[in-house]
Amino acid sequence: MSIRLLSALAIAASLTACATAPGTPNNSYSFGLWGDMPYKKAGDDSKLPAVLNSINASDIAFSVYDGDIKDGSSKCTDDIYVDALKMFGSMKKPVVYVPGDNEWTDCHRTNNGGFDALERLAHLRKVMFPSAASLGQATLPLEHQGKLGEKYVENTRFSYGPVVFAGINVPGSNNNVIMSAKECTAKSARNAAQCDASNAEYLERDAANIQWLDSTFAKAKADKAEGVVLVIQADPGFDWPETEETDESELPQFSGYRNFMAAVVKQTESYKGQVLFVHGDTHFFKVDKPLYSPSKLLPNLTRLQTFGSPSLHWVKVGVEPGSAHLFNIQPVIVRQP
C-alpha cells in the first residue's frame, strides 16, 4: 500500500473520529444552556462573573449559548464581538455559540449605530467562528453548514453520546423579516433597498435552515440517536393556553418563523426519539410542551426557554440514556456576591 494511500486513510479515520464527540450511549452526562447576557443597560457586567464561575465549577461536558451577546439598544461596534470571544474564552469547557438578533438583525437601529444588518452578519460569521471547533478553553469538533467565514457557517451540528445537537441561526425580530415600509424605517437607518435585501436574506437563510434541520434529523435517524437538541435564539411564537380565542403563533410578528416551525413539527412527528427545542429571547425560564397547541400534544417535543438579562442564571440538562424522558432539566440559580 502506498504512503499516499496510507495518509489518505489516516486522514479519513481522523475525520470519522471527530464526527462524534466523546460520550457513549451508555453514559449519562450533562450540558449547560445560557444566553441573553450580559446587557450593560441592566448592569449585568458586575453580575456576569458569578454566572461564568458557576458554569466553570459545574460538571457539565459543554454548554450552548443561545444568542444575544449584548442588549438591543447599544451599538454594534466591532468591540462587542471581541468582548464576547473573551467571555467564551474564559470558559473551561467547550461553548457552542448560536447568534442572536442583538448582534446582527437589530443593528440597523439608530441607537445601535445605524449599521447595515447584513454587513454585521457577514462580520459575525468571520469573527465569531474562527475555527471549525467550538469556543472555550477545551473544544468540541463541529460540523458547519457553510465554510469558515461564509454563509451559514453559524449553523452547527455535533453528536454527544446518544444525542444529536444542532445550532441554527433563527434570530429574534421576526427572523429578519420586514413587513412594511413603515417598519423598515422606524427608529432605523435603513433604506428601502436594504430592507428588500434583508427580506431576500431571510428567504435564502430560512431555506438553508430548514435544509440543516432536515439533515440533522436524517443523521439522528441513521445513527439511531435517542434524542435531538435544537437551539435557536428567537422565541418563535407559540399559542398561549391562557388566551383561548387567540392563537399568538399566528400574530404578524411571528410570521418569519412559520416555515421553520412547520418543518420542526414535521420532522418531530417522524422521529421516535425525544426532541428538546431550546430558545432564548424572552428571558424567562420555561419548560413546557406547547405544540401542536395548548389542547393537542406533540408528545416527544419539549420546549426549554432559557434565562436572560436581568435574570442571570443558567440551565443544566442531564442526559440519561435509555430513560423514557432522556432529558433531565434543572434551572441553576446563581447567587450574586
Side-chain angles (χ1 to χ4, degrees):
M1 187 178 291
S2 70
I3 293 175
R4 180 176 295 178
L5 181 56
L6 283 170
S7 297
L9 289 173
I11 291 171
S14 175
L15 289 174
T16 301
C18 288
T20 301
T24 68
N26 297 319
N27 292 339
S28 61
Y29 65 91
S30 59
F31 62 93
L33 296 167
W34 55 303
D36 292 296
M37 65 180 79
Y39 282 20
K40 289 185 182 296
K41 69 177 184 180
D44 289 351
D45 284 353
S46 62
K47 297 186 289 184
L48 182 66
V51 179
L52 304 183
N53 291 338
S54 175
I55 297 174
N56 276 336
S58 72
D59 62 352
I60 61 170
F62 58 88
S63 69
V64 183
Y65 181 95
D66 58 4
D68 274 11
I69 56 177
K70 73 173 193 70
D71 62 72
S73 59
S74 59
K75 296 188 185 303
C76 295
T77 47
D78 289 356
D79 58 292
I80 66 107
Y81 309 95
V82 174
D83 288 346
L85 287 173
K86 289 179 181 177
M87 176 178 72
F88 296 135
S90 73
M91 306 309 294
K92 295 179 180 179
K93 301 292 178 65
V95 184
V96 179
Y97 165 69
V98 179
D101 58 344
N102 288 355
E103 52 261 41
W104 75 273
T105 314
D106 296 342
C107 291
H108 66 90
R109 296 173 179 171
T110 52
N111 60 5
N112 278 231
F115 287 84
D116 182 331
L118 301 191
E119 182 277 328
R120 290 289 82 183
L121 174 58
H123 181 77
L124 180 154
R125 286 168 167 162
K126 292 177 181 177
V127 173
M128 296 301 296
F129 299 90
S131 76
S134 71
L135 301 172
Q137 294 172 13
T139 60
L140 284 173
L142 301 178
E143 180 183 0
H144 296 259
Q145 188 176 20
K147 296 179 180 178
L148 290 181
E150 298 182 7
K151 288 181 179 179
Y152 317 127
V153 66
E154 70 275 18
N155 286 351
T156 58
R157 182 164 58 222
F158 64 100
S159 295
Y160 204 104
V163 180
V164 178
F165 293 78
I168 307 177
N169 186 5
V170 182
S173 297
N174 203 19
N175 209 3
N176 202 34
V177 172
I178 301 161
M179 303 288 289
S180 67
K182 181 179 180 180
E183 181 182 343
C184 175
T185 56
K187 300 180 180 179
S188 175
R190 294 182 296 205
N191 57 40
Q194 288 175 316
C195 291
D196 289 343
S198 288
N199 282 333
E201 184 281 331
Y202 154 74
L203 290 172
E204 184 180 25
R205 178 173 42 80
D206 192 44
N209 287 346
I210 291 171
Q211 183 182 52
W212 194 241
L213 175 80
D214 292 348
S215 63
T216 296
F217 276 93
K219 176 175 174 56
K221 292 172 185 176
D223 294 350
K224 294 182 171 57
E226 294 183 44
V228 170
V229 176
L230 304 173
V231 185
I232 67 173
Q233 187 264 333
D235 181 341
F238 296 99
D239 188 5
W240 299 350
E242 296 85 355
T243 55
E244 294 183 6
E245 296 182 0
T246 303
D247 182 351
E248 284 78 11
S249 69
E250 297 299 326
L251 294 175
Q253 62 263 38
F254 298 121
S255 61
Y257 307 114
R258 298 284 61 86
N259 292 337
F260 181 79
M261 293 308 298
V264 170
V265 169
K266 178 181 177 181
Q267 290 293 343
T268 301
E269 288 174 332
S270 65
Y271 178 61
K272 295 181 179 179
Q274 294 296 312
V275 177
L276 185 63
F277 183 85
V278 180
H279 70 85
D281 201 17
T282 308
H283 299 212
F284 298 102
F285 173 71
K286 179 183 287 187
V287 178
D288 62 0
K289 290 185 175 292
L291 297 176
Y292 300 96
S293 70
S295 60
K296 185 180 179 183
L297 195 68
L298 181 56
N300 60 328
L301 184 141
T302 300
R303 182 263 291 264
L304 195 170
Q305 179 175 284
T306 56
F307 292 102
S309 179
S311 298
L312 268 63
H313 311 292
W314 62 285
V315 182
K316 182 178 180 180
V317 180
V319 176
E320 301 173 357
S323 64
H325 52 79
L326 186 61
F327 300 112
N328 180 11
I329 299 168
Q330 305 172 37
V332 180
I333 305 304
V334 178
R335 296 187 181 278
Q336 296 296 327

